[in-house]
Amino acid sequence: MSGTTTEAGRRNWAGNVTFGAARIARPGTVDELRRTVAEGAAVRVLGTGHSFNRIADTDGTLVSLAELPPRFEVDRARSTVTVAAGMRHAQVAALLQAEGLALANLASLPHISVAGAVATGTHGSGVGNPGLASSVAGLELVGPDGDMVALDRDSAGFAGSVVHLGALGVVSAVTLDVEPAYQVAQYVLTGLPLASLATGDADEMAALLGAAYSVSVFTDWFGAEAQIWLKHRTDAGGTPRLDWFGAAPADRPLHPVPGVPATHCTEQLGVPGPWHERLPHFRPDFTPSAGEELQSEFLLPRAAAQAAFAALRELGHRIAPVLQISEIRTVAADELWLSPAYGRDSVALHFTWHQDAEAVAPVLAAVEAALTPLGARPHWGKLFTATPGQAADLYEHAYGFRELMDRQDPGGKFRNAFTRSLYAGGAA
Ligand SMILES: Cc1cc2nc3c(=O)[nH]c(=O)nc-3n(C[C@H](O)[C@H](O)[C@H](O)COP(=O)(O)OP(=O)(O)OC[C@H]3O[C@@H](n4cnc5c(N)ncnc54)[C@H](O)[C@@H]3O)c2cc1C
């Protein structure tokens, strides 16, 4: 059912952002979407609302694509699938698995929309795995006049258009690279001494972060020990090494946050299973409608990893009281202009905070002050204290992206305070 509302969808998933939109539109067809965009003075899209800042906000029309018909078109010759932009990874992954196909990677939670994930440079983990936007082979966009624009990897400006912060139009469909389905076995190790993160042998630490297809380390930067999650592709053969810095395999399933039951976590203990039931940390049949948490994340050059670990350990006494858990991941370099891993193999330092914005703010500022000199770029969809314009200035192609915004959207219909800041912060 299509329609508009002024009541529903007013807040993001975490509930810390109330959208200022005059109108929320829920078009039921692409033609209706095109009319909505053409008629709106200011337009932004709300994906599944999993961002923690005002990136999706507008005082004009907020468009939800949740009521557009699903689309799922496999092209076996090109090894791609084209999906409706508002579909969630969990939905797409189950359909792909039924076709014997897979995506290269997923985020920790599979309930996020495909287009929203791509727009902010969302990533999983793995030294050889770039962010999810790198799998994008094409985009269909509705431009400011309701016109349709199709882009693929051969299109001019493609590298600038994939991680787009919602500023270039309304993405109605996304074409993604696919590969044959694969199996993953997940191992959780406990007892990694926290001190070893900063001071352990650098080669050994690099080897740990690359010990499986996808590796995460969970810590609060204060307690004595950290947890390691290894997601091993079974087609790589063998079993991953499990004795890093004295850590050992857990004898039961664990949640990343100590003391929380593992009920909602994907299967562990090395039991192989389909890629989409192991790569996310949380199960697709567990659908949290709201989150009692806030998140921040910073991506740094991988060579700065241990200096960053040392800086965070110094701040551990301030971080731990306002933190649920912190996660260390790796992301391979890509060439997408505003991707936080643009041009450099990265280590990603994530913080799941308690939902207490006032208490978190000074700690986040201290974390950011410690990590920025090491080359940290904030995740576009999470909380950070720099302005979006200051964050954009950390990218070689910031100016090129501003030109792209002007070209695709000369009247500024898709701009909001977040993306207007990209101009304010940047040298023209
Ligand atoms: C519990 C949880 C776990 C998370 N895990 C990870 C993780 O593992 N890795 C990671 O990197 N991030 C993670 N994130 C962050 C999340 O992936 C990003 O915030 C992502 O952008 C959310 O997607 P969304 O569909 O909810 O987008 P929204 O938050 O709704 O929107 C984000 C931006 O995308 C734009 N947008 C959305 N859809 C479209 C469209 N169709 N056309 C044009 N613009 C569009 C919006 O306008 C907005 O600017 C997590 C967030 C949560 C809440």
Side-chain angles (χ1 to χ4, degrees):
M1 203 181 75
S2 62
T4 65
T5 174
T6 52
E7 297 304 325
R10 279 271 156 218
R11 278 143 82 96
N12 66 340
W13 175 84
N16 66 314
V17 172
T18 300
F19 299 115
R23 170 176 180 256
I24 297 180
R26 302 173 187 281
T29 65
V30 172
D31 281 344
E32 197 184 332
L33 167 65
R34 296 173 65 181
R35 278 197 301 278
T36 302
V37 173
E39 288 164 12
V43 175
R44 294 289 289 181
V45 184
L46 181 62
T48 44
H50 283 89
S51 294
F52 291 86
N53 57 34
R54 296 203 162 268
I55 189 169
D57 200 12
T58 178
D59 52 12
T61 304
L62 194 58
V63 181
S64 161
L65 306 185
E67 290 175 22
L68 285 187
R71 202 172 142 190
F72 181 82
E73 296 156 12
V74 171
D75 183 334
R76 287 190 184 268
R78 292 202 164 98
S79 293
T80 60
V81 65
T82 299
V83 299
M87 288 171 74
R88 296 168 188 255
H89 279 127
Q91 240 179 318
V92 171
L95 292 168
L96 282 174
Q97 174 68 18
E99 297 280 337
L101 296 170
L103 299 173
N105 212 350
L106 287 168
S108 63
L109 187 83
H111 308 109
I112 292 164
S113 85
V114 172
V118 165
T120 61
T122 289
H123 59 88
S125 189
V127 290
N129 293 325
L132 307 187
S134 283
S135 295
V136 174
L139 293 173
E140 292 172 25
L141 285 127
V142 181
D145 302 325
D147 47 319
M148 293 298 305
V149 184
L151 297 174
D152 63 25
R153 287 189 172 116
D154 295 328
S155 306
F158 185 76
S161 304
V162 183
V163 179
H164 53 74
L165 316 183
L168 302 181
V170 177
V171 176
S172 57
V174 183
T175 299
L176 299 166
D177 295 331
V178 295
E179 59 186 280
Y182 51 90
Q183 297 245 315
V184 173
Q186 177 163 244
Y187 301 84
V188 173
L189 317 178
T190 57
L192 174 72
L194 179 60
S196 62
L197 287 176
T199 59
D201 177 76
D203 292 339
E204 186 80 343
M205 184 53 60
L208 162 58
L209 295 177
Y213 186 66
S214 168
V215 175
S216 295
V217 175
F218 291 97
T219 174
D220 66 0
W221 300 109
F222 189 61
E225 293 182 350
Q227 253 185 37
I228 305 169
W229 287 39
L230 301 177
K231 297 172 194 272
H232 171 69
R233 265 180 83 141
T234 58
D235 55 7
T239 307
R241 192 181 139 190
L242 301 175
D243 63 349
W244 299 96
F245 296 100
D251 57 3
R252 64 200 154 86
L254 292 174
H255 191 281
V257 181
V260 176
T263 333
H264 300 313
C265 295
T266 47
E267 191 157 354
Q268 304 167 20
L269 300 174
V271 179
W275 60 284
H276 65 303
E277 294 179 4
R278 297 293 183 278
L279 290 177
H281 303 325
F282 302 104
R283 299 159 62 100
D285 51 359
F286 154 63
T287 312
S289 58
E292 288 178 12
E293 63 190 59
L294 300 172
Q295 295 186 8
S296 302
E297 191 166 28
F298 300 91
L299 279 79
L300 293 85
R302 212 169 292 159
Q306 284 192 290
F309 300 160
L312 293 175
R313 201 171 167 226
E314 286 277 307
L315 288 170
H317 64 290
R318 294 187 61 194
I319 294 173
V322 291
L323 186 81
Q324 296 192 32
I325 198 67
S326 183
E327 181 176 9
I328 303 166
R329 290 182 280 188
T330 54
V331 188
D334 65 36
E335 294 302 319
L336 302 173
W337 291 0
L338 288 192
S339 162
Y342 173 85
R344 58 193 208 190
D345 288 328
S346 300
V347 62
L349 304 174
H350 164 87
F351 303 82
T352 300
W353 308 109
H354 290 301
Q355 202 177 47
D356 181 347
E358 209 175 310
V360 167
V363 182
L364 172 58
V367 164
E368 207 165 323
L371 298 183
T372 302
L374 299 173
R377 294 172 178 158
H379 189 305
W380 291 111
K382 302 187 181 180
L383 296 177
F384 53 96
T385 63
T387 65
Q390 287 166 335
D393 280 342
L394 302 170
Y395 292 81
E396 183 185 332
H397 290 290
Y399 182 65
F401 187 74
R402 291 175 190 119
E403 284 188 323
L404 208 52
M405 283 165 69
D406 288 338
R407 204 163 53 241
Q408 301 262 112
D409 180 26
K413 180 175 282 192
F414 299 120
R415 260 161 244 170
N416 63 1
F418 192 100
T419 57
R420 272 194 294 276
S421 159
L422 301 183
Y423 291 95

